[in-house]
Amino acid sequence: MKIRYCMATLASAALLAAAPAQAQGNKLKVGFMLPYTGTYAALGIAIENGFRLYVDEQGGKLGGREIEYVKVDDESDPSKATDNVNKLIKRDEVDVLVGTVHSGVAIAMARAARQSNTLMINPNGGAGAITGALCAPNVFRSSFSNWQPAYAMGEVAAKRGHKTAMTITWKYAAGEESVNGFREAFEKNGGKVIKDLTVPFPNVEFQALLTEIAAAKPDAVYTFFAGGGAVKFVKDYAAAGLKDAVPLYGAGFLTDGTLDAQGDAAQGLLTTLHYADGLNTPRDNAFRLAYAKTFKLQPDVYAVQGYDAAQMLAVGLKAVNGDVSKKAEIAAAIRSATIDSPRGKFTVSKAHNPVQDIYLRKVVGKENKVEGIAIKALADPARGCKM
Amino acid sequence: MNTKLAPVALAFVAFGLFPLAGGAYEIDLATKIMILAIFALSLELLVGQTGLVCFGHAAFFGIGAYTVTLLTPMSGPVSLWLALPASVGAAALYALPVGALSLRTKGVYFIMITLAFAQMAYFVFHDTPLGGGSDGIYLDFRPDPAIGGWQPFDLSEGHTLYYAVLASLVLVFGLLAVMLRSRFGRALAGIRVNEQRMRAAGFPTYGYKLAAFVLSAALAGLAGFLYALKDGYVNPELLSWHHSGAVLLMIILGGLGHLRGAMLGALAFTLLQEAFQSQALVGDFAQHWQLPLGLTIIAFVALMPKGLIGLALRRGRQ
Amino acid sequence: MDLATFLIQCLNAVQYGLLLFLVASGLTLIFGIMGVINLAHGSFYMIGAYMAYALAPAVEQHLGGGFFATLAVGVALSVALGYLLEWLFFSYLYEREHLQQVLMTYGLILVFEELRSLIVGNDVHGVAMPEWLSGTVPLGEVMTYPVYRLFISAVCVAVALAMWLVLARTRLGMRIRAGATNREMVRAMGVDIRLLYRIVFAIGVALAALAGMIAAPVSSVYPNMGGQVLIICFVVVVIGGIGSIKGALVAALLVGFVDTFGKVLFPSLAGLSVYLLMAAMLLWKPEGLFRAG
């Protein structure tokens, strides 16, 4: 019997060894590393849908090569990030990595991509480091840096005449980056952030800090929350009677994809983001129609980011006729391209982050209606990037 | 060789030969399994052998991982002979007060107080800039084993790390196997069965339990140290209760009360998760991999209460 | 902090504490009386919240709608769910070790989360509150306090009272208490202990689901919401003394205060504060504040 159980061990080891030996046709392997379970699962699916939509519009081919997809659930768990990205890089030997939502996981991914020199396009995670200290010739982002919408909002808030502000966010890296971006612009334009409030992540009991805000009565409050936390915060803020007394401003994630759940509490909120409802450009309308038709869902900013990740990849691959080994040419092509995104045209900075218009949006009904452009062609400062 | 050790020895040999056959990913996976096996062994010493259910073991693992990462400067590697004892020592050092205080409680209360201490460590790394906050920090250079001018091996080359992990696993297993046969090990078993009788027999049971707790934490620290070397990335989630829970699942899955069970559990748990997440095996349902994993676990508790090792032993008797 | 702010913070703390009590009471009941460590308790909270969202349209159609009708249907369903689960899974576990219970209930968490994802999806949803509870009460200069939160507190207090009455004053309560202290004895006296356990478990599940349903309008429903509440509930139960309803109430309020004031006074240590409290309490009273009963 002992022998049998050893054999079982050996057999499973052998099975593993055999697993990746699949035929490597001429197809281009795209590896999605996205959250399919947990808090961010809906975002992961929207990104994948967006990406697939663009590829399907091109007849299933980019740069002359058919696309094949491999998927890994990253669970938004940074402690598993390296193992998960290795599944795609080492096991499935993908040509391109696409992912992910969670900033910490995205950083781990970018590092693995850098080490293995795998082409990577990040369709959400806004950690500054990805196109900052960790920037690399083969790593691109189709979304935003946490700094971008926050900085734009800082300027808007100051120009609306607010002198003092408080910030509130989860105590984690993405929140801190966002708050710092807001502070930078707000104080540059004559405002003053009087206090930063934080809640332990992912705690959603805000009542104590709302009381703090009510006691301090700043001119404005800036916040960075997403998903379930964002819904609860917006509702609690309104229920505490603060909405009319102290204007609330946020990075767009506060009200994106969650307006149904927020209901009346969100009406009239101002947020900044690189996408908005009611852009009413032919490009955006066509995209929204196609997305709604294909997936029976309304597209959101995450779908746009997925779509544009595919567009950036297409530009790069076209320049090299689908030969992913020519990393330098791919990078050069993407850097010199103008991406015709549903959000509006954007270019890609030296550090590989979009240089894009940041919209000021206002919640009207169940839409984040565009109010105007907060800052035109805003580029992330890419601090620490040596490229 | 006795029949208990033969399968284990064979498995070690199989792992030793594995790099000849496996691809880069499979070798990575095997490395992870061995590290988790060390982690599981360290917890088995407490739970299976001494009867102390620790629900915060990930804290020691995480502290081991963070210590080597924090000791490594930006510019180059740190000496292995500094980093290794420091990582193991840091985990043991944290375990000393935690153990001393926790061991005053029993049963479910012990489970929860070890959880409380682990959560504290988690929040220290998550909420303070000490270890890079929630995004974690990186280890760019694996420690350097040079002594004077002599370089016995290089951890960043080829399969050296793989074999270093395998050697650590064999050593830890050997150490625990020998120790459990010693007077100390028998005293721990006695405490598990009936602590009062042991105390009546004149054993300072508190001291024994504390020693087991600290040793167990030190071994978890070793596992964490190796983990940091493997990925070069440490994150507060390494200390989270999910991680403590996962390793507890491994040893229960494998079968409590047997060192072999802990290793088998680490192997089985990792492979199960791997299989259910694999698109090649289950297609698009891989997105819902937690469903089959959960059902397997439930079926497992209902049908195989003694763990995998219990199944193997029962077959063996037939 | 001036006096008015301080008082409002105390109100916040009590309100949060009471909600914690509602979730934790079911856990301590199952824990203390049946000796089962139920990690899936957070999932029952999640299931409750999702029921408040998903049942509303069906209730609207067949029963004419209303928040309280949904609540009643939800409670009935969760009692049935609890009864079924006990019969299917937990009845094996009483003679087994705690660790096997941990393993099985962990498996249940995974199953419930995935079923939630398959059935309802992964989006965040809001739940409407009844019109007459949606007002606010002014507090201080700018702050207002939602009536619904006061309603939650009232429900929690009512549940606490009801539990105390049932346990202390009824025959069922007497049997439950006896079953917690001495299982064999109760069986010897001819009480069907299996049925008793099934009822207790069903009540425990219903309490968690009720907490989820009642909290849904303020918290909204989202994936993973159960996991967040689980650990904090264990903290409450352990501080209070396993199986003690009174203990759970006191501990929940204590946790509410420490969490609320921790966030305000020591923001950088806010994550630690509750666990520090738990460690300190257990060192002071290694078996929790109150013995079961």
Side-chain angles (χ1 to χ4, degrees), chain C residues 1 5-6 10 17 20 27 40 64 84 90 116 121 124 143 166 169 177 189 193 231 233 235 252-253 267 283 286:
Chain C
M1 196 185 296
T5 316
F6 174 76
C10 289
L20 279 181
L27 187 64
L84 196 69
F90 287 86
R116 188 265 309 143
V124 182
M143 187 99 185
V166 168
R169 296 290 160 87
R177 278 182 295 141
M189 282 160 59
I193 194 110
I231 289 287
C233 279
V235 169
L253 290 173
L283 294 175

Side-chain angles (χ1 to χ4, degrees), chain A residues 22 56 62 78 113 154 168 172 224 232 270 287 300 307 315 347 372:
Chain A
Q22 289 164 346
D56 290 348
L62 297 183
I168 178 166
Y172 71 157
F224 178 90
K232 183 144 194 309
L270 291 177
F287 164 76
D300 53 15
Y307 188 82
V315 166
T347 56

Side-chain angles (χ1 to χ4, degrees), chain A residues 1-6 9-10 12-20 22 36-38 45 48 52 69-73 75-84 86-88 90-92 102-105 107-108 111 114-115 127 134 171-174 176-177 200-201, chain B residues 3-4 6-8 10-11 14-15 18 21-26 28-29 32-33 122-123 126-128 132 134-135 138-140 227 230-233 235 237-238 242-243 260-261 264 267 271 273-274 277-281 284 286-290 309 312-313 315-316:
Chain A
M1 149 272 131
K2 310 287 178 196
I3 304 295
R4 192 170 339 152
Y5 124 62
C6 291
T9 314
L10 283 173
S12 43
L15 182 80
L16 278 170
Q22 289 164 346
Y36 293 110
T37 57
I45 291 163
E48 183 184 328
R52 282 177 185 265
Y69 301 103
V70 198
K71 294 198 263 186
V72 162
D73 175 17
E75 304 169 57
S76 297
D77 182 348
S79 72
K80 295 182 185 163
T82 311
D83 281 327
N84 281 329
N86 278 339
K87 281 183 189 167
L88 293 173
K90 293 184 182 170
R91 181 186 68 189
D92 303 325
H102 185 289
S103 282
V105 180
I107 294 179
R111 266 179 61 94
R114 204 159 77 142
Q115 275 162 8
L134 285 170
K171 190 154 183 65
Y172 71 157
E176 271 157 35
E177 284 182 12
F201 180 78
Chain B
T3 52
K4 258 182 154 179
V8 176
L10 255 173
F15 268 95
F18 188 67
Y25 174 71
E26 288 70 35
D28 244 29
L29 185 65
K32 179 172 132 189
I33 290 173
Y122 168 84
F123 280 109
H126 189 277
D127 288 358
T128 67
S134 63
D135 274 352
Y138 300 92
L139 176 89
D140 288 316
Y227 187 87
K230 170 180 167 285
D231 279 352
Y233 175 41
N235 182 280
E237 295 307 316
L238 290 178
H242 298 268
H243 205 215
R260 291 162 297 158
L264 196 57
L267 177 78
L271 290 184
Q273 207 165 327
E274 197 70 18
Q277 280 181 300
S278 153
Q279 249 186 309
L281 291 178
D284 259 1
Q287 277 188 28
H288 297 289
W289 60 276
Q290 293 185 345
I309 200 89
L313 291 177
R315 285 271 176 83

Side-chain angles (χ1 to χ4, degrees), chain B residues 17-317:
Chain B
L17 296 175
F18 188 67
L20 302 176
Y25 174 71
E26 288 70 35
I27 291 174
D28 244 29
L29 185 65
T31 313
K32 179 172 132 189
I33 290 173
M34 291 191 293
I35 293 172
L36 290 177
I38 297 176
F39 189 23
L41 278 174
S42 77
L43 187 61
E44 165 65 19
L45 170 66
L46 269 190
V47 181
Q49 307 296 328
T50 322
L52 295 169
V53 181
C54 175
F55 195 17
H57 223 49
F60 309 120
F61 183 91
I63 287 172
Y66 265 100
T67 305
V68 56
T69 313
L70 288 172
L71 279 176
T72 306
M74 294 296 275
S75 51
V78 64
S79 165
L80 177 66
W81 312 114
L82 166 69
L84 179 60
S87 292
V88 173
L93 203 65
Y94 184 60
L96 196 63
V98 169
L101 296 174
S102 310
L103 286 168
R104 295 176 44 179
T105 61
K106 289 201 169 44
V108 178
Y109 295 99
F110 180 80
I111 299 181
M112 296 311 291
I113 200 166
T114 48
L115 169 74
F117 280 115
Q119 288 293 90
M120 285 183 217
Y122 168 84
F123 280 109
V124 166
F125 285 112
H126 189 277
D127 288 358
T128 67
L130 171 71
S134 63
D135 274 352
I137 40 167
Y138 300 92
L139 176 89
D140 288 316
F141 305 93
R142 286 180 182 162
D144 178 11
I147 308 167
W150 178 57
Q151 177 115 13
F153 51 89
D154 183 350
L155 282 173
S156 41
E157 230 171 43
H159 301 318
T160 318
L161 180 66
Y162 179 90
Y163 284 109
V165 172
L166 179 60
S168 310
L169 176 61
V170 174
L171 277 176
V172 169
F173 177 77
L175 172 79
L176 289 179
V178 169
M179 205 196 70
L180 292 178
R181 282 180 177 70
S182 71
R183 186 183 146 83
F184 179 66
R186 290 183 198 287
L188 295 184
I191 289 170
R192 185 186 75 231
V193 179
N194 189 337
E195 186 175 350
Q196 234 142 30
R197 193 192 302 160
M198 290 303 285
R199 208 177 303 137
F203 282 90
T205 55
Y206 181 83
Y208 274 90
K209 288 196 288 185
L210 185 58
F213 193 88
V214 173
L215 176 63
S216 160
L219 294 178
L222 170 67
F225 169 84
L226 293 169
Y227 187 87
L229 264 52
K230 170 180 167 285
D231 279 352
Y233 175 41
V234 294
N235 182 280
E237 295 307 316
L238 290 178
L239 291 85
S240 71
W241 71 269
H242 298 268
H243 205 215
S244 297
V247 66
L248 206 49
L249 286 183
M250 287 174 205
I251 61 172
I252 308 171
L253 195 67
L256 284 176
H258 308 268
L259 294 180
R260 291 162 297 158
M263 296 191 288
L264 196 57
L267 177 78
F269 188 76
T270 315
L271 290 184
L272 266 183
Q273 207 165 327
E274 197 70 18
F276 290 139
Q277 280 181 300
S278 153
Q279 249 186 309
L281 291 178
V282 293
D284 259 1
F285 202 71
Q287 277 188 28
H288 297 289
W289 60 276
Q290 293 185 345
L291 187 60
L293 184 66
L295 291 173
T296 310
I297 291 174
I298 292 170
F300 189 85
V301 177
L303 305 175
M304 287 188 272
K306 299 228 142 98
L308 287 172
I309 200 89
L311 184 75
L313 291 177
R314 199 168 59 203
R315 285 271 176 83
R317 271 199 298 275

Side-chain angles (χ1 to χ4, degrees), chain C residues 101-153:
Chain C
Q101 301 163 354
V102 168
L103 194 61
M104 171 169 290
T105 51
Y106 178 81
L108 282 177
I109 295 183
L110 299 181
V111 171
F112 285 138
E113 272 299 320
E114 284 295 356
L115 288 179
R116 188 265 309 143
S117 161
L118 286 168
I119 297 170
V120 194
N122 295 313
D123 288 323
V124 182
H125 297 286
V127 174
M129 59 179 76
E131 198 63 39
W132 59 277
L133 285 174
S134 60
T136 54
V137 185
L139 270 186
E141 280 171 73
V142 290
M143 187 99 185
T144 60
Y145 213 78
V147 171
Y148 191 80
R149 279 182 177 265
L150 300 175
F151 164 73
I152 293 181
S153 302

